[in-house]
Amino acid sequence: MPSRANLILDNLAKKYELLKKQTSHNALGADTAEALIDVVQYSLKFLSQCNQIPLHSSVPGKDYFAFAAKKKGGKISRAVNKNLFASDTAKKLEKVFSKTLSDLPLAERERFLYTVAISYCCAVDLLKTGDQKTPATFFECLIGHLFARAFGVNPRTQVEVLRLEEESSTLPTDFIFDLGTAKPKFHIPVKTSTRERVIQVFAHQRVLDGVHGFGKFTGILVCLTETKLNHDTKEVIEICLPKQWVLYQRFIAPMKRFYYFDIPKKYAGLALGDPPMAVMSFAKFFDEAKDLMAGR
Amino acid sequence: MPSRANLILDNLAKKYELLKKQTSHNALGADTAEALIDVVQYSLKFLSQCNQIPLHSSVPGKDYFAFAAKKKGGKISRAVNKNLFASDTAKKLEKVFSKTLSDLPLAERERFLYTVAISYCCAVDLLKTGDQKTPATFFECLIGHLFARAFGVNPRTQVEVLRLEEESSTLPTDFIFDLGTAKPKFHIPVKTSTRERVIQVFAHQRVLDGVHGFGKFTGILVCLTETKLNHDTKEVIEICLPKQWVLYQRFIAPMKRFYYFDIPKKYAGLALGDPPMAVMSFAKFFDEAKDLMAGR
């Protein structure tokens, strides 16, 4: 087993490196789509040969499982939402990535996207120890590609900040999409989970609002999930701070969208709060991308 | 050695737990001062029996060393600023903590405070593995005690946030000192180092400014150091983002003071920047506490 796992890890690492390279070179390109398909396909193939063990879900209305290495007492993956994981995703990859995602019915699109996003993360959980970095980067590549395709432009990862006196300064960010003169600009932070770090998202938006004026940058948070798995008790919880979010939205800077692959109920409820906060399934982005691009 | 180290760790853990308890019970009390003295004295005694190994400092004008376990190939502590570590601190503890710190000459006060703050952190570095939490909490207890004594009130760690409609909400923070009606209130984040997490400090200040109005809360960051030690190469660097700080100060919320125990040169330079940012040695706080309390 160890040598086989090492071989799989080596192959996956090469595919991952190629994806990173293609995304930074041309996120909206067909080569990036191909590299993405390759990483996901390989991850799903590996996962299909692993066991699935049930987890104790403390999240009302949601069931979770984890992938587990066949070897007894081996590692287990992060929590996977049972209703959102579609095991037939591998064979749809080529087809779906070659056309627009809005052609897929919403529920199917939701499961497709969740399965794609979680695949590499789970594979790495089983093949490596303590690697938080490459799943986060993979997730950024996925989001970078999907937004770049929808918007028809490649992202940047820093913003120029105007200064009157000296050399201009820059603010490092997650993704910035600039659709051109007199068209919307988007500030798109991407996180596999936010927890207490979410305040950075609003604070970056605040700097952009302050430097460039209100409404110049549309803020869109994209997040995979807020689940946390206790590896000893096998309990899955969601870590949510809805009251903090309301404070940040009101007093730091408003974000236009909060897209989740696996929406926490407590955040979904903020859509009916004061102020209403647009927390929704990421799958819906593909239905409203045109509206967002038109500044609506 | 292992059993002796375990015994020391057990004793230190008990003293630490007592300090935590006393601080949360009555941060400005004599019992807290005593518990603090006890932790520091015990830490310094342990450190005096350890080796000191030189480090490669990449920080211009500053020399650093690390404490090292006597056992060959054992652990080493975080970086310690050679000019700020005063080995005669242990015998001064009782005397200094029984009177006001402003009685000590500034340079001596600076070294005294640095040695007190770093003592427990270094001892834990050598006695435990991967413990970031208890040094951070120890540092909070120290700062909580010193500010509480200077201000004559105990801190809170959350702020009530006004809401028009529903039940009131709270914002968890580091320390809040409320000197009473029509007197200043202080928002005092405490960090052993900030790195990219510093944006939280400004964002919390922004929420307070937004909820309670500008100038109601005086923001004061207290930070130990920004050094980072590479344990393989023994190189010490300082991680500083001065251009980001300027953006945050201008566009998120202004902080009144940035106190350091070991001031990074790059941040000290911000005192002459635009806007000027008051980065200074924490030792100076004891000279200006009265001014701050008067809202100056």
Side-chain angles (χ1 to χ4, degrees), chain A residues 161-172 196-197 199-200 203-204 206-207 210-211 243-244 246-248 250-252 274-275, chain B residues 161-172 196-197 199-200 203-204 206-207 210-211 243-244 246-248 250-252 274-275:
Chain A
V161 173
L162 305 168
R163 304 195 62 180
L164 296 170
E165 316 80 22
E166 315 141 49
E167 84 283 24
S168 75
S169 191
T170 56
L171 177 73
E196 70 291 338
R197 290 168 292 119
I199 198 168
Q200 293 171 16
H204 271 145
R206 172 84 212 171
V207 172
V211 171
K243 288 190 170 190
Q244 311 297 318
V246 172
L247 287 175
Y248 302 159
R250 286 175 70 170
F251 294 108
I252 300 178
D274 173 28
Chain B
V161 172
L162 306 168
R163 303 196 64 179
L164 296 171
E165 316 80 23
E166 315 141 50
E167 84 284 25
S168 74
S169 190
T170 57
L171 177 73
E196 69 292 337
R197 291 168 290 120
I199 198 168
Q200 293 171 15
H204 271 144
R206 172 84 211 168
V207 172
V211 172
K243 287 190 171 190
Q244 311 298 318
V246 171
L247 287 176
Y248 302 158
R250 285 175 71 170
F251 294 108
I252 300 177
D274 174 27

Side-chain angles (χ1 to χ4, degrees), chain A residues 164-237:
Chain A
L164 296 170
E165 316 80 22
E166 315 141 49
E167 84 283 24
S168 75
S169 191
T170 56
L171 177 73
T173 59
D174 287 357
F175 292 126
I176 294 289
F177 287 91
D178 185 344
L179 269 43
T181 313
K183 286 189 181 160
K185 300 180 201 309
F186 293 90
H187 164 227
I188 307 194
V190 178
K191 314 279 168 202
T192 50
S193 72
T194 68
R195 314 263 168 96
E196 70 291 338
R197 290 168 292 119
V198 78
I199 198 168
Q200 293 171 16
V201 167
F202 295 90
H204 271 145
Q205 182 65 35
R206 172 84 212 171
V207 172
L208 293 173
D209 287 354
V211 171
H212 296 280
F214 293 111
K216 197 76 187 168
F217 280 85
T218 302
I220 296 181
L221 170 65
V222 184
C223 191
L224 179 51
T225 174
E226 299 293 355
T227 54
K228 187 185 159 107
L229 171 60
N230 181 323
H231 280 255
D232 294 329
T233 63
K234 308 274 187 292
E235 188 194 1
V236 184
I237 57 169

Side-chain angles (χ1 to χ4, degrees), chain A residues 25-72:
Chain A
H25 178 62
N26 180 19
L28 58 75
D31 286 351
T32 301
E34 246 173 64
L36 202 47
I37 291 169
D38 204 27
V39 168
V40 174
Q41 212 143 37
Y42 198 80
S43 300
L44 288 174
K45 190 179 157 202
F46 167 68
L47 293 175
S48 72
Q49 292 153 6
C50 296
N51 293 327
Q52 294 184 11
I53 61 162
L55 300 172
H56 308 299
S57 171
S58 295
V59 186
K62 293 188 188 178
D63 285 323
Y64 289 92
F65 69 88
F67 289 101
K70 291 261 177 187
K71 195 174 58 176
K72 224 179 164 176

